[in-house]
């Protein structure tokens, strides 16, 4: 009789483990998000400098004032990365503009 209780206890414990696992955040959704998400790039001085170079090249190639969206499209980067690069260029005095619709090289 003790054997049956032990086996029944093990089965009950397994069922409890399954219930606890089901209450945790969906592992399948997290895995799907990770695999389909764009690889995150960390922002540091080096990556900001590269984005500034991309923005500078896009503005130089255009030879005229561009919007942030146009700069991002020309440089093939996101608008957030374009803003990061523009911040770098503004700080160095290499870019000028009064608003996001009129940015050019200084």
């Amino acid at each position: 009789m003790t054997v049956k209780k032990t086996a029944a206890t093990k089965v009950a414990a397994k069922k409890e483990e399954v219930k606890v696992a089901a209450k945790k955040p969906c592992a399948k959704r997290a895995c799907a998000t990770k695999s389909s998400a764009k690889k995150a790039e960390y922002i540091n001085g080096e990556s900001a400098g590269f984005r500034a170079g991309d923005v500078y090249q896009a503005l130089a190639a255009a030879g005229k004032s561009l919007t942030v969206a146009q700069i991002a499209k020309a440089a093939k980067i996101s608008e957030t990365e374009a803003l990061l690069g523009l911040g770098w260029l503004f700080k160095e005095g290499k870019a000028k503009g009064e608003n996001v619709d009129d940015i050019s090289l200084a």
Side-chain angles (χ1 to χ4, degrees), residues 19-74:
K19 287 180 184 177
V20 171
K23 290 181 181 178
K24 290 182 180 179
C26 180
K28 290 180 183 178
R29 186 173 57 214
C31 292
T33 304
K34 286 181 183 177
S35 64
S36 65
K38 181 180 172 185
K39 183 179 177 185
E41 183 175 330
Y42 295 101
I43 297 174
N44 57 26
E46 186 177 3
S47 66
F50 284 128
R51 296 301 78 80
D54 295 340
V55 170
Y56 188 90
Q57 292 297 323
L59 286 169
K64 61 178 183 174
S65 297
L66 298 175
T67 66
V68 173
Q70 290 171 333
I71 292 169
K73 186 176 179 181

Side-chain angles (χ1 to χ4, degrees), residues 6-20:
T6 306
T9 306
K10 287 181 181 179
V11 170
K14 285 286 186 188
K15 287 182 180 179
E16 188 62 34
E17 287 177 19
V18 171
K19 287 180 184 177
V20 171

Side-chain angles (χ1 to χ4, degrees), residues 70-83:
Q70 290 171 333
I71 292 169
K73 186 176 179 181
K76 297 178 183 161
I77 57 177
S78 69
E79 287 188 28
T80 303
E81 292 171 322
L83 289 169

